[in-house]
Amino acid sequence: MMGVIKDTADVTSRLDVELVGSVVTSTHKTEKAVIDFPRSALTESLRGLRINLDHFLNKVNGKVIAVQALIPGAGKSFVSFNLALMFAQLKKNVLLIDGDMRKPKLHKVLGVSLDNGLSEYLKGERPLEKIVRSSQFPHMSFISAGELQADSSELLSNGQIQLLINTLKEKFDYIIVDNSPIGIIHDSGIIGAQADANLFLLRMNVSEFDEINEINKNKEVLLSSLDKQLNLRKKKSQNKRCLSCEHFEDCNFGMEVFDYGIICPAFRIVPIN
Protein backbone atom coordinates (compact mmCIF):
# COMPACT_ATOMS: atom_id res chain seq x y z
CA MET A 1 0.00 0.00 0.00
CA MET A 2 1.42 3.33 -1.06
CA GLY A 3 0.53 6.82 0.11
CA VAL A 4 1.42 9.27 2.85
CA ILE A 5 -0.28 9.33 6.27
CA LYS A 6 -2.43 12.47 6.48
CA ASP A 7 -4.13 12.29 9.89
CA THR A 8 -4.60 10.23 13.04
CA ALA A 9 -7.53 8.36 11.49
CA ASP A 10 -5.17 7.00 8.85
CA VAL A 11 -3.16 5.45 11.68
CA THR A 12 -5.93 4.17 13.97
CA SER A 13 -7.82 2.55 11.10
CA ARG A 14 -4.81 0.46 10.07
CA LEU A 15 -2.74 -0.04 13.21
CA ASP A 16 -2.89 -3.37 15.07
CA VAL A 17 -1.22 -2.03 18.23
CA GLU A 18 -2.07 0.71 20.69
CA LEU A 19 -1.95 4.39 19.78
CA VAL A 20 -0.62 6.12 22.88
CA GLY A 21 -0.80 9.77 21.84
CA SER A 22 -0.64 12.42 19.15
CA VAL A 23 1.96 15.20 19.17
CA VAL A 24 1.21 18.39 17.26
CA THR A 25 3.73 19.89 14.86
CA SER A 26 6.26 22.21 16.44
CA THR A 27 6.24 25.74 15.04
CA HIS A 28 8.80 26.94 17.60
CA LYS A 29 12.47 27.46 16.74
CA THR A 30 13.67 25.63 19.81
CA GLU A 31 14.55 22.07 20.78
CA LYS A 32 13.41 22.48 24.40
CA ALA A 33 9.82 23.35 23.59
CA VAL A 34 8.36 22.18 26.91
CA ILE A 35 10.56 24.68 28.77
CA ASP A 36 10.41 27.65 26.39
CA PHE A 37 6.71 27.31 25.60
CA PRO A 38 5.13 25.55 28.58
CA ARG A 39 1.54 26.56 27.71
CA SER A 40 1.66 25.75 24.01
CA ALA A 41 -0.46 23.12 22.27
CA LEU A 42 2.74 21.24 21.51
CA THR A 43 3.69 21.04 25.18
CA GLU A 44 0.19 19.96 26.14
CA SER A 45 0.29 17.16 23.57
CA LEU A 46 3.69 16.02 24.86
CA ARG A 47 2.33 16.15 28.40
CA GLY A 48 -0.51 13.84 27.38
CA LEU A 49 2.03 11.45 25.87
CA ARG A 50 4.08 11.53 29.07
CA ILE A 51 1.01 10.78 31.21
CA ASN A 52 0.02 7.82 29.03
CA LEU A 53 3.54 6.42 29.03
CA ASP A 54 3.85 6.87 32.78
CA HIS A 55 0.60 4.98 33.28
CA PHE A 56 1.85 2.10 31.17
CA LEU A 57 5.27 1.97 32.82
CA ASN A 58 3.70 1.96 36.28
CA LYS A 59 1.50 -0.95 35.21
CA VAL A 60 4.46 -3.08 34.17
CA ASN A 61 6.93 -1.67 36.73
CA GLY A 62 9.09 -0.38 33.89
CA LYS A 63 11.62 2.40 33.48
CA VAL A 64 13.11 2.22 29.98
CA ILE A 65 11.56 3.90 26.92
CA ALA A 66 13.13 3.31 23.50
CA VAL A 67 12.03 5.97 21.02
CA GLN A 68 11.88 4.44 17.55
CA ALA A 69 11.06 5.32 13.95
CA LEU A 70 11.39 3.46 10.68
CA ILE A 71 12.77 6.45 8.78
CA PRO A 72 14.94 9.51 9.55
CA GLY A 73 13.16 12.80 10.15
CA ALA A 74 10.26 11.42 12.19
CA GLY A 75 11.19 13.51 15.23
CA LYS A 76 12.88 10.93 17.49
CA SER A 77 15.47 13.25 19.00
CA PHE A 78 12.97 16.05 19.60
CA VAL A 79 10.44 13.75 21.27
CA SER A 80 13.14 11.94 23.29
CA PHE A 81 14.61 15.18 24.61
CA ASN A 82 11.29 16.79 25.51
CA LEU A 83 9.95 13.62 27.13
CA ALA A 84 13.09 13.50 29.27
CA LEU A 85 12.56 17.15 30.25
CA MET A 86 8.94 16.51 31.19
CA PHE A 87 9.81 13.57 33.43
CA ALA A 88 12.63 15.63 34.98
CA GLN A 89 10.17 18.44 35.72
CA LEU A 90 8.40 15.96 37.99
CA LYS A 91 11.66 15.81 39.96
CA LYS A 92 12.30 12.28 38.77
CA ASN A 93 15.87 11.15 38.18
CA VAL A 94 16.00 10.87 34.38
CA LEU A 95 18.72 9.62 32.03
CA LEU A 96 18.65 10.51 28.33
CA ILE A 97 20.79 8.28 26.07
CA ASP A 98 21.73 9.01 22.46
CA GLY A 99 21.67 5.49 21.02
CA ASP A 100 22.32 6.59 17.44
CA MET A 101 26.04 5.90 17.06
CA ARG A 102 26.01 6.61 13.33
CA LYS A 103 24.22 9.97 13.15
CA PRO A 104 23.87 11.34 16.69
CA LYS A 105 22.20 14.67 17.41
CA LEU A 106 21.46 15.05 21.11
CA HIS A 107 24.97 16.10 22.12
CA LYS A 108 24.50 19.21 19.96
CA VAL A 109 21.13 19.91 21.55
CA LEU A 110 22.66 19.73 25.03
CA GLY A 111 25.84 21.56 24.02
CA VAL A 112 28.31 18.86 25.04
CA SER A 113 31.05 16.91 23.28
CA LEU A 114 30.31 13.70 21.45
CA ASP A 115 33.16 11.61 22.88
CA ASN A 116 33.27 9.65 26.14
CA GLY A 117 29.85 8.17 25.50
CA LEU A 118 28.04 4.94 24.69
CA SER A 119 30.45 3.59 22.09
CA GLU A 120 33.46 4.03 24.38
CA TYR A 121 31.65 2.14 27.16
CA LEU A 122 30.65 -0.71 24.86
CA LYS A 123 34.26 -1.04 23.65
CA GLY A 124 35.50 -1.13 27.25
CA GLU A 125 37.39 2.15 26.92
CA ARG A 126 35.41 4.09 29.54
CA PRO A 127 33.71 2.95 32.77
CA LEU A 128 30.09 3.81 33.47
CA GLU A 129 30.89 6.69 35.82
CA LYS A 130 32.87 8.41 33.06
CA ILE A 131 30.08 8.44 30.46
CA VAL A 132 27.09 9.62 32.54
CA ARG A 133 27.07 13.41 32.55
CA SER A 134 24.96 15.89 34.45
CA SER A 135 23.13 18.47 32.34
CA GLN A 136 22.03 22.07 32.75
CA PHE A 137 18.53 20.76 33.36
CA PRO A 138 17.74 19.71 36.94
CA HIS A 139 17.20 15.97 37.50
CA MET A 140 18.33 15.07 33.96
CA SER A 141 21.58 13.26 33.08
CA PHE A 142 22.91 12.36 29.64
CA ILE A 143 24.98 9.74 27.83
CA SER A 144 26.22 10.81 24.40
CA ALA A 145 26.53 8.39 21.50
CA GLY A 146 30.31 8.53 21.69
CA GLU A 147 32.70 8.22 18.77
CA LEU A 148 30.87 7.48 15.50
CA GLN A 149 30.73 3.78 14.67
CA ALA A 150 30.38 2.16 11.25
CA ASP A 151 29.95 -1.22 12.98
CA SER A 152 27.53 -0.08 15.68
CA SER A 153 25.28 -3.15 15.34
CA GLU A 154 28.22 -5.45 16.01
CA LEU A 155 29.27 -3.30 18.96
CA LEU A 156 25.78 -3.44 20.45
CA SER A 157 25.81 -7.21 20.06
CA ASN A 158 28.70 -7.80 22.47
CA GLY A 159 26.34 -8.18 25.45
CA GLN A 160 27.41 -4.98 27.24
CA ILE A 161 24.24 -3.01 26.42
CA GLN A 162 22.10 -5.35 28.53
CA LEU A 163 24.51 -5.03 31.46
CA LEU A 164 24.53 -1.24 31.05
CA ILE A 165 20.73 -0.88 31.01
CA ASN A 166 20.29 -3.21 33.99
CA THR A 167 22.85 -1.22 35.99
CA LEU A 168 21.28 2.12 35.06
CA LYS A 169 17.84 0.91 36.12
CA GLU A 170 19.14 0.83 39.67
CA LYS A 171 20.21 4.47 39.48
CA PHE A 172 17.45 6.24 37.54
CA ASP A 173 13.66 6.53 37.67
CA TYR A 174 13.37 6.80 33.89
CA ILE A 175 15.73 6.01 31.00
CA ILE A 176 14.89 7.36 27.54
CA VAL A 177 16.88 6.18 24.52
CA ASP A 178 16.90 7.98 21.17
CA ASN A 179 17.57 5.17 18.69
CA SER A 180 18.78 4.87 15.12
CA PRO A 181 16.04 4.56 12.47
CA ILE A 182 14.87 0.95 12.30
CA GLY A 183 14.50 1.02 8.53
CA ILE A 184 18.23 1.64 8.05
CA ILE A 185 20.15 -0.46 10.59
CA HIS A 186 19.50 -3.00 13.33
CA ASP A 187 20.78 -0.97 16.30
CA SER A 188 17.34 0.19 17.39
CA GLY A 189 16.02 -3.35 17.59
CA ILE A 190 18.92 -4.44 19.77
CA ILE A 191 18.34 -1.58 22.21
CA GLY A 192 14.58 -1.98 21.91
CA ALA A 193 14.83 -5.51 23.24
CA GLN A 194 16.10 -4.00 26.52
CA ALA A 195 13.24 -1.49 26.79
CA ASP A 196 10.02 -1.70 28.79
CA ALA A 197 8.20 0.31 26.11
CA ASN A 198 9.07 0.84 22.46
CA LEU A 199 7.60 4.15 21.30
CA PHE A 200 7.26 4.26 17.52
CA LEU A 201 6.83 7.62 15.80
CA LEU A 202 4.86 8.17 12.60
CA ARG A 203 5.05 11.66 11.12
CA MET A 204 2.04 13.07 9.32
CA ASN A 205 2.64 14.01 5.67
CA VAL A 206 6.02 12.26 5.83
CA SER A 207 5.52 8.64 6.97
CA GLU A 208 3.85 6.28 4.51
CA PHE A 209 1.20 3.62 4.98
CA ASP A 210 3.86 1.00 4.36
CA GLU A 211 5.38 1.93 7.73
CA ILE A 212 2.15 1.00 9.49
CA ASN A 213 2.07 -2.27 7.58
CA GLU A 214 5.66 -2.93 8.60
CA ILE A 215 4.88 -2.32 12.28
CA ASN A 216 1.81 -4.57 12.12
CA LYS A 217 3.64 -7.32 10.26
CA ASN A 218 6.87 -7.30 12.22
CA LYS A 219 5.99 -5.98 15.68
CA GLU A 220 7.38 -9.01 17.48
CA VAL A 221 10.44 -9.08 15.22
CA LEU A 222 11.18 -5.41 15.83
CA LEU A 223 10.86 -5.92 19.57
CA SER A 224 12.85 -9.15 19.69
CA SER A 225 15.61 -8.55 17.15
CA LEU A 226 18.12 -9.22 19.93
CA ASP A 227 17.45 -12.87 19.13
CA LYS A 228 19.32 -12.66 15.84
CA GLN A 229 21.83 -10.00 16.80
CA LEU A 230 23.12 -11.84 19.87
CA ASN A 231 22.63 -15.35 18.49
CA LEU A 232 20.51 -16.41 21.45
CA ARG A 233 18.77 -19.35 19.79
CA LYS A 234 18.37 -21.58 22.82
CA LYS A 235 15.82 -23.97 24.25
CA LYS A 236 12.51 -22.48 25.29
CA SER A 237 12.70 -20.70 28.61
CA GLN A 238 11.72 -22.79 31.61
CA ASN A 239 10.66 -19.85 33.80
CA LYS A 240 8.13 -18.50 31.27
CA ARG A 241 9.13 -14.92 31.96
CA CYS A 242 8.20 -12.19 29.52
CA LEU A 243 11.42 -10.45 28.47
CA SER A 244 9.62 -7.20 27.72
CA CYS A 245 7.15 -6.37 30.46
CA GLU A 246 8.67 -8.57 33.18
CA HIS A 247 5.37 -10.36 33.74
CA PHE A 248 5.20 -14.12 33.87
CA GLU A 249 2.61 -16.40 32.27
CA ASP A 250 -0.22 -13.97 33.08
CA CYS A 251 1.29 -11.30 30.79
CA ASN A 252 -1.50 -8.88 29.86
CA PHE A 253 -0.08 -7.81 26.53
CA GLY A 254 -0.41 -10.91 24.37
CA MET A 255 2.93 -12.56 25.02
CA GLU A 256 4.37 -14.93 22.47
CA VAL A 257 6.89 -17.75 22.93
CA PHE A 258 10.28 -17.41 21.26
CA ASP A 259 13.22 -19.79 21.31
CA TYR A 260 14.94 -17.93 24.14
CA GLY A 261 11.91 -17.10 26.26
CA ILE A 262 8.70 -15.13 26.10
CA ILE A 263 8.22 -11.61 24.85
CA CYS A 264 5.11 -9.49 24.45
CA PRO A 265 4.27 -6.84 21.84
CA ALA A 266 4.24 -3.96 24.33
CA PHE A 267 4.26 -1.38 21.56
CA ARG A 268 3.33 2.27 21.77
CA ILE A 269 2.76 4.31 18.61
CA VAL A 270 2.80 8.09 18.36
CA PRO A 271 1.79 10.04 15.24
CA ILE A 272 3.55 13.39 14.84
CA ASN A 273 1.10 15.74 13.16
Side-chain angles (χ1 to χ4, degrees):
M1 181 185 299
M2 299 299 292
V4 174
I5 299 170
K6 296 294 186 182
D7 52 37
T8 302
D10 283 343
V11 179
T12 56
S13 63
R14 294 170 173 85
L15 195 63
D16 292 342
V17 292
E18 182 179 347
L19 182 72
V20 72
S22 180
V23 177
V24 303
T25 301
S26 176
T27 58
H28 309 300
K29 302 300 183 180
T30 178
E31 293 290 342
K32 55 184 192 301
V34 301
I35 291 179
D36 294 341
F37 299 94
R39 299 181 183 275
S40 67
L42 170 61
T43 296
E44 286 302 318
S45 65
L46 285 164
R47 184 172 291 112
L49 172 60
R50 189 264 298 162
I51 291 170
N52 290 340
L53 280 171
D54 202 22
H55 176 72
F56 167 72
L57 290 171
N58 285 334
K59 186 189 301 184
V60 301
N61 193 29
K63 294 185 175 185
V64 184
I65 302 169
V67 181
Q68 312 270 24
L70 277 79
I71 59 171
K76 293 184 300 78
S77 298
F78 180 83
V79 171
S80 299
F81 180 47
N82 281 276
L83 270 179
L85 289 174
M86 295 205 99
F87 280 115
Q89 287 176 338
L90 298 176
K91 297 185 178 179
K92 300 295 184 179
N93 196 14
V94 180
L95 176 65
L96 178 63
I97 302 176
D98 194 337
D100 190 344
M101 290 184 285
R102 299 198 185 196
K103 197 174 181 180
K105 178 182 179 181
L106 287 175
H107 68 288
K108 297 178 181 178
V109 174
L110 281 106
V112 300
S113 63
L114 180 62
D115 59 353
N116 294 326
L118 181 60
S119 64
E120 282 82 6
Y121 172 85
L122 295 176
K123 290 187 290 185
E125 296 176 357
R126 294 289 186 279
L128 177 58
E129 59 270 18
K130 295 294 185 180
I131 66 169
V132 178
R133 317 181 194 198
S134 59
S135 75
Q136 66 267 45
F137 305 103
H139 308 288
M140 192 177 88
S141 299
F142 177 61
I143 295 178
S144 70
E147 182 182 352
L148 301 184
Q149 300 294 312
D151 60 344
S152 53
S153 294
E154 289 77 10
L155 190 58
L156 283 165
S157 299
N158 66 9
Q160 292 302 305
I161 188 65
Q162 182 177 8
L163 176 62
L164 174 65
I165 295 297
N166 288 338
T167 302
L168 292 170
K169 281 183 177 182
E170 301 297 321
K171 301 177 181 292
F172 292 93
D173 298 313
Y174 295 97
I175 301 168
I176 299 175
V177 187
D178 176 22
N179 283 322
S180 304
I182 280 183
I184 298 177
I185 49 180
H186 298 293
D187 299 18
S188 53
I190 300 173
I191 295 177
Q194 308 301 322
D196 301 301
N198 280 269
L199 184 70
F200 281 83
L201 306 185
L202 296 168
R203 187 163 189 167
M204 302 306 171
N205 300 309
V206 175
S207 296
E208 297 184 350
F209 290 123
D210 283 347
E211 292 180 47
I212 301 178
N213 296 339
E214 199 67 23
I215 292 171
N216 289 338
K217 183 173 61 177
N218 296 310
K219 57 182 182 290
E220 68 274 2
V221 176
L222 294 172
L223 192 59
S224 65
S225 65
L226 190 63
D227 174 50
K228 292 182 179 179
Q229 296 302 320
L230 300 184
N231 193 26
L232 291 179
R233 291 288 180 184
K234 298 179 180 179
K235 295 185 298 182
K236 290 183 179 180
S237 172
Q238 298 301 311
N239 63 9
K240 305 298 184 185
R241 185 173 185 175
C242 175
L243 299 178
S244 175
C245 72
E246 300 299 321
H247 285 182
F248 288 80
E249 288 195 359
D250 60 346
C251 170
N252 295 321
F253 300 96
M255 68 183 185
E256 299 183 31
V257 176
F258 285 79
D259 286 348
Y260 58 86
I262 296 175
I263 198 162
C264 72
F267 276 71
R268 296 298 180 264
I269 311 297
V270 177
I272 308 298
N273 290 331

